[in-house]
């Protein structure tokens, strides 16, 4: 999804920065007043205090004032400054266009108001230049960050990040700080999947990066809010929430080719047959297991007086087994979409048969040796039997989902090459 680039200009001579290590993009829309001071300050910093060769790319996205003229004047006067003009508005749209077409090793961006202290730029890009990390973000919410901004923006920012953590299981601390960088090779693989072209672009990129398994480096920053910011907070919040819903649905339905990207970028398991995030799987399986056990106990108690112990055990175990397989499929092992869902349930029912044998056998033995056992004793025996069945179930489900979601082709996503 490429935008029309209607103007590209660069200062002469540019041989020294034809292939820079870092390409710093400054996306602008109607910033005729702030653009000049920003670029002059950034240019001086890169020349005097930055150890890597760098280029400044002014990405003008459909400005209606004289921003483009100011940008072209700066490119004429300053070496290592170029201008890219797009005919459609949108920060994300501009970043995607420039980042995908950049010849630099690392692509970065910062807001035109330079709210972030430029001394954070080197810590931001260094892990990317070395190859250790894939994406780096500035964070205003770290304990060591120093931030000056009003309570309204602080409250909105923290609420938004809380929404991301609860709805999309995001681990990054600050989605919307206008200070990010990415290895260009990885950016070219991931950016075609980022649909948003405006303010939600950052969040969508970070969520995808986490799900793919990219290493995200966070840099605490000193940040001073721009009181003259033209961002419409209400409209941006509305669009962000719509974006959260869209991405959540795409992840839940399996529409996003997460496994193909993992394979293409090399984020597969280190050892064949050993799933990623083993500790996390155990924790999530335990959470599902606790819920299933509580549901099983409730159903058994409700049904036992009407159907008898064996039938109540069968029905309670069957109902919770179906729900347990579905929950573990999505929550524990991250398998989404309808593909192989029926097959997974059938295999889950085989494991249900093992659990049924263990619990029914335990009840039979209890009633044989203590035919007048109280319900609470039956329940205790069943819980112990279920613990053993749960262990067997975890091992069995790991086998069931061992190839789940894997594509028969390593790289079927447009633009991705292993």
């Amino acid at each position: 999804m490429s935008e029309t680039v209607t103007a590209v200009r660069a200062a002469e001579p540019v041989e020294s920065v034809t292939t820079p290590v870092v390409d710093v993009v400054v996306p602008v829309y109607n910033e005729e007043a702030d653009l000049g001071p920003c670029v002059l300050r950034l240019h001086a910093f890169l020349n005097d205090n930055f150890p890597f060769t760098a280029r400044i790319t002014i990405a003008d996205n459909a400005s209606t004032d004289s921003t483009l003229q100011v940008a072209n004047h700066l490119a004429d006067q300053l070496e290592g400054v170029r201008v890219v003009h797009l005919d459609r508005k949108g920060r994300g749209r501009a970043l995607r266009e420039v980042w995908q077409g950049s010849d630099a090793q690392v692509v970065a961006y910062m807001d035109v108001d330079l709210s972030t202290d430029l001394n954070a730029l080197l810590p931001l890009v260094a892990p990317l230049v070395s190859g250790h990390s894939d994406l780096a973000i500035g964070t205003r919410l770290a304990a060591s960050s120093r931030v000056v901004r009003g309570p309204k923006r602080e409250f909105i920012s923290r609420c938004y990040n809380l929404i991301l953590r609860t709805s999309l299981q995001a681990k990054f601390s600050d989605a919307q700080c206008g200070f990010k960088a990415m290895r260009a090779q990885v950016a070219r693989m991931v950016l075609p999947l980022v649909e948003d072209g405006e303010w939600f672009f950052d969040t969508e990129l970070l969520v995808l990066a986490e799900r793919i398994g990219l290493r995200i480096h966070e840099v605490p920053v000193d940040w001073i809010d721009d009181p003259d910011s033209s961002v419409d907070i209400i409209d941006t919040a509305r669009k962000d929430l719509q974006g959260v819903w869209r991405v959540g649905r795409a992840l839940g339905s399996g529409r996003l080719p997460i496994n193909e990207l993992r394979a293409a970028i090399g984020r597969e398991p280190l050892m064949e047959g050993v799933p990623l995030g083993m500790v996390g799987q155990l924790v999530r399986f335990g959470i599902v297991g606790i819920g299933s056990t509580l549901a099983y106990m409730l159903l058994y108690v409700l049904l036992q007086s009407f159907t008898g112990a064996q039938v109540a055990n069968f029905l309670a175990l069957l109902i919770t087994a179906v729900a347990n397989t579905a929950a573990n499929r999505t929550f524990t092992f991250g398998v989404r979409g309808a593909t192989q869902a029926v097959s997974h349930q059938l295999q889950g029912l085989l494991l249900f048969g093992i659990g049924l044998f263990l619990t029914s056998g335990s009840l039979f033995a209890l009633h044989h040796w203590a035919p007048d056992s109280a319900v609470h004793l039956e329940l205790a025996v069943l819980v112990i039997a279920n613990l053993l069945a749960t262990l067997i179930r975890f091992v069995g489900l790991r086998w069931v989902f061992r190839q789940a979601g894997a594509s028969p082709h390593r790289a079927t996503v447009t633009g991705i090459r292993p």
Side-chain angles (χ1 to χ4, degrees):
M1 183 172 62
S2 177
E3 302 297 333
T4 303
V5 179
T6 59
V8 177
R9 296 188 61 182
E12 297 290 348
V14 296
E15 288 79 2
S16 61
V17 290
T18 299
T19 54
V21 174
V22 180
D23 192 351
V24 182
V25 182
V26 182
V28 289
Y29 172 76
N30 289 352
E31 296 285 358
E32 58 183 4
D34 293 337
L35 180 58
C38 160
V39 172
L40 289 172
R41 179 181 163 198
L42 178 58
H43 186 267
F45 176 85
L46 293 175
N47 283 340
D48 299 337
N49 301 289
F50 199 63
F52 303 116
T53 55
R55 175 175 63 214
I56 300 173
T57 298
I58 304 170
D60 174 53
N61 49 114
S63 292
T64 58
D65 61 3
S66 60
T67 295
L68 182 59
Q69 289 76 13
V70 174
N72 286 328
H73 176 73
L74 291 166
D76 288 337
Q77 299 299 315
L78 302 173
E79 181 179 352
V81 176
R82 67 167 182 163
V83 180
V84 175
H85 174 72
L86 287 86
D87 57 8
R88 290 184 63 193
K89 182 182 176 182
R91 182 182 71 174
R93 191 170 289 113
L95 289 175
R96 179 168 48 235
E97 179 69 35
V98 177
W99 278 10
Q100 286 186 259
S102 179
D103 57 351
Q105 180 180 341
V106 172
V107 289
Y109 94 88
M110 59 182 62
D111 291 335
V112 69
D113 56 19
L114 296 185
S115 295
T116 305
D117 185 356
L118 291 176
N119 288 318
L121 183 59
L122 180 57
L124 186 81
V125 303
L128 309 182
V129 175
S130 69
H132 176 269
S133 298
D134 303 296
L135 194 154
I137 65 174
T139 175
R140 299 161 294 184
L141 302 180
S144 57
S145 298
R146 297 189 299 173
V147 176
V148 177
R149 62 175 167 179
K152 180 180 178 181
R153 284 181 175 267
E154 180 77 13
F155 177 76
I156 292 173
S157 180
R158 291 189 179 275
C159 286
Y160 180 60
N161 282 282
L162 179 61
I163 291 172
L164 295 180
R165 288 176 179 273
T166 54
S167 62
L168 298 177
Q169 289 81 52
K171 304 297 189 300
F172 49 84
S173 65
D174 191 351
Q176 294 288 23
C177 180
F179 193 68
K180 294 181 175 67
M182 196 171 189
R183 288 201 297 126
Q185 181 182 12
V186 176
R188 285 188 286 270
M189 294 179 178
V190 179
L191 288 177
L193 294 177
V194 180
E195 295 183 18
D196 191 82
E198 299 183 19
W199 296 101
F200 188 70
F201 171 88
D202 299 60
T203 301
E204 188 170 356
L205 175 62
L206 286 170
V207 170
L208 286 174
E210 277 196 342
R211 294 303 180 97
I212 293 164
L214 299 183
R215 289 194 178 103
I216 300 177
H217 175 66
E218 296 201 5
V219 179
V221 297
D222 296 343
W223 193 87
I224 300 176
D225 188 21
D226 178 13
D228 299 322
S229 175
S230 60
V231 177
D232 185 336
I233 296 178
I234 301 300
D235 184 62
T236 300
R238 177 182 60 83
K239 291 179 179 178
D240 283 346
L241 292 176
Q242 290 175 343
V244 169
W245 173 254
R246 174 177 56 80
V247 172
R249 289 187 61 187
L251 291 170
S253 66
R255 184 171 63 84
L256 289 170
I258 298 300
N259 291 295
E260 288 87 343
L261 276 170
R262 276 188 175 275
I265 296 174
R267 292 299 187 268
E268 297 166 302
L270 294 176
M271 297 178 62
E272 187 67 27
V274 178
L276 291 162
M278 177 68 177
V279 174
Q281 286 182 354
L282 283 170
V283 172
R284 293 190 293 273
F285 181 83
I287 293 172
V288 173
I290 291 172
S292 298
T293 300
L294 293 174
Y296 166 83
M297 293 169 64
L298 177 62
L299 287 170
Y300 179 82
V301 170
L302 291 175
L303 295 171
Q304 191 268 349
S305 60
F306 300 101
T307 63
Q310 291 288 3
V311 175
N313 174 62
F314 174 81
L315 292 176
L317 198 61
L318 177 61
I319 294 170
T320 54
V322 172
N324 184 283
T325 298
N328 277 308
R329 183 177 188 266
T330 301
F331 182 59
T332 303
F333 297 97
V335 181
R336 295 174 173 84
T339 305
Q340 294 184 301
V342 175
S343 173
H344 293 156
Q345 279 292 352
L346 291 175
Q347 294 175 79
L349 287 176
L350 290 176
L351 297 173
F352 154 75
I354 297 174
L356 179 63
F357 173 78
L358 288 172
T359 54
S360 295
S362 300
L363 275 178
F364 178 82
L366 176 64
H367 291 161
H368 178 74
W369 294 105
D372 298 325
S373 301
V375 174
H376 69 271
L377 184 57
E378 290 178 350
L379 206 55
V381 170
L382 288 172
V383 168
I384 294 173
N386 265 306
L387 289 175
L388 179 58
T390 298
L391 178 61
I392 296 173
R393 186 174 183 80
F394 178 71
V395 176
L397 286 177
R398 282 189 60 195
W399 180 84
V400 169
F401 298 118
R402 69 196 185 282
Q403 300 292 344
S407 170
H409 306 289
R410 284 185 57 86
T412 59
V413 183
T414 303
I416 296 179
R417 295 190 299 271

